[in-house]
Amino acid sequence: MSTAARTNLTSNNVKVTNYKLGEGTFRECFEGIYIGGNRNNQAAACKRFKSQYTSMENEFFAQDFQIADKTIDFAESWNDVCPYGKEIMVSRGSLHTKGGRRYIVEPLIRDYDKFTSNTGWIGDTSNWQVRCMEAFTHYTYHKSGGQMIVCDIQGRYRHNRFSKAKSRFELGDPAICSRTRRYGPTDLGEKGIESFFSNHQCNEFCEDNWSRPRCPSQWFPQSRGTSMVSSLHSNQLSLHSRATFRMRGNMLMGVVEEDSDESDY
């Protein structure tokens, strides 16, 4: 098992409560309690799609695990080179069906914070934790040879006052923006990569030799929330397209540039 993965361990059953921890446009999260295994009686985060969006489940759940696994790979590499006490663990849950509804269940992270989004938004950079996590995103670009970034980073820094070696970031629900757009509806493609770098200023956690795009642009309205793009607009996420975007809820809708003969859609 990966040292950067925060998993359900041997706990394979959970009780889902009615207590809602939070919700977004498409999904909602309920508190659960693990039954049996290494995490017996520990709190769990149980995420499901809202009833009107269950048609998105198959695509999104499959991509959710791919995103987590790729982020864990990057985190393992980061942990080998990062400053002491700045290591990362990434939650990777498992799929459960309860009461006819499907949930992704993973260890609960309390005192959640949002460090970056997938549209280029970056939190308050006077906070070293934000700077560290945006540096991690820069690192993933360099490590992947400019092919992708891990973004939409959220979670907490868990400080252990008794042992600095046990202090770490615990992250969940990241997104990946990739040039091939392999990572589902939250993958904003090449324009997602550029939008991050249009706002990112290298800091003390970045290395001088890390690569970055030349003259990146901001392609999306900056939003703290997680944004999605329908597969119908995938071609607009390439840098070969000059289309910019507007926001409708958390969905990004393509807007064709005015020198095109096409209308908004």
Side-chain angles (χ1 to χ4, degrees):
M1 179 60 66
S2 167
T3 56
R6 190 168 179 262
T7 70
N8 295 344
L9 299 176
T10 62
S11 297
N12 56 17
N13 196 8
V14 67
K15 176 184 177 182
V16 182
T17 73
N18 292 323
Y19 180 68
K20 186 180 288 188
L21 294 168
E23 63 181 299
T25 303
F26 306 100
R27 296 198 294 175
E28 51 195 353
C29 181
F30 294 86
E31 186 164 347
I33 301 171
Y34 286 109
I35 301 171
N38 298 55
R39 294 196 181 277
N40 186 46
N41 290 326
Q42 292 184 19
C46 306
K47 305 167 188 177
R48 74 183 187 189
F49 275 88
K50 295 178 179 179
S51 298
Q52 64 268 40
Y53 297 115
T54 53
S55 61
M56 302 172 68
E57 283 183 345
N58 289 337
E59 177 186 7
F60 197 94
F61 283 156
Q63 298 295 342
D64 191 89
F65 293 121
Q66 289 185 36
I67 292 167
D69 289 341
K70 191 65 179 177
T71 303
I72 288 165
D73 287 344
F74 281 126
E76 283 192 318
S77 179
W78 164 269
N79 291 350
D80 288 337
V81 300
C82 71
Y84 193 60
K86 307 301 186 292
E87 289 79 7
I88 292 172
M89 290 194 73
V90 181
S91 293
R92 190 195 191 281
S94 56
L95 198 58
H96 294 250
T97 300
K98 296 290 179 181
R101 300 292 299 274
R102 291 196 294 172
Y103 296 82
I104 286 183
V105 176
E106 59 191 39
L108 178 62
I109 299 175
R110 297 195 186 275
D111 302 319
Y112 228 76
D113 199 6
K114 185 96 173 193
F115 302 110
T116 68
S117 77
N118 60 339
T119 56
W121 176 89
I122 296 171
D124 180 4
T125 55
S126 67
N127 182 341
W128 72 264
Q129 297 174 20
V130 173
R131 297 196 304 276
C132 190
M133 289 299 93
E134 64 170 313
F136 173 61
T137 295
H138 187 173
Y139 173 80
T140 62
Y141 179 85
H142 178 75
K143 187 70 177 178
S144 68
Q147 293 304 300
M148 66 187 70
I149 59 169
V150 174
C151 53
D152 203 36
I153 296 178
Q154 51 209 311
R156 67 172 176 176
Y157 182 71
R158 184 173 182 177
H159 175 68
N160 188 313
R161 62 192 181 96
F162 299 108
S163 173
K164 188 173 182 180
K166 294 182 179 179
S167 296
R168 65 196 186 198
F169 286 93
E170 295 178 345
L171 307 179
D173 283 335
I176 291 178
C177 292
S178 65
R179 296 196 183 278
T180 55
R181 210 192 173 212
R182 297 174 49 196
Y183 294 96
T186 59
D187 183 344
L188 303 186
E190 294 180 308
K191 290 181 177 177
I193 295 172
E194 281 218 343
S195 294
F196 167 77
F197 279 102
S198 72
N199 296 293
H200 169 58
Q201 295 184 3
C202 286
N203 57 55
E204 71 270 31
F205 299 108
C206 299
E207 297 290 341
D208 292 339
N209 66 331
W210 290 355
S211 56
R212 59 181 295 154
R214 295 180 180 177
C215 304
S217 298
Q218 177 69 46
W219 294 94
F220 310 106
Q222 290 189 52
S223 171
R224 185 179 187 275
T226 304
S227 300
M228 299 187 184
V229 170
S230 165
S231 58
L232 297 174
H233 300 297
S234 287
N235 64 319
Q236 295 183 355
L237 295 172
S238 166
L239 295 179
H240 295 296
S241 167
R242 294 185 60 224
T244 56
F245 290 77
R246 57 185 167 84
M247 193 75 72
R248 180 183 296 169
N250 276 16
M251 286 295 291
L252 289 164
M253 311 301 292
V255 178
V256 179
E257 291 287 347
E258 61 183 0
D259 61 350
S260 169
D261 58 2
E262 298 183 56
S263 59
D264 292 4
Y265 57 100

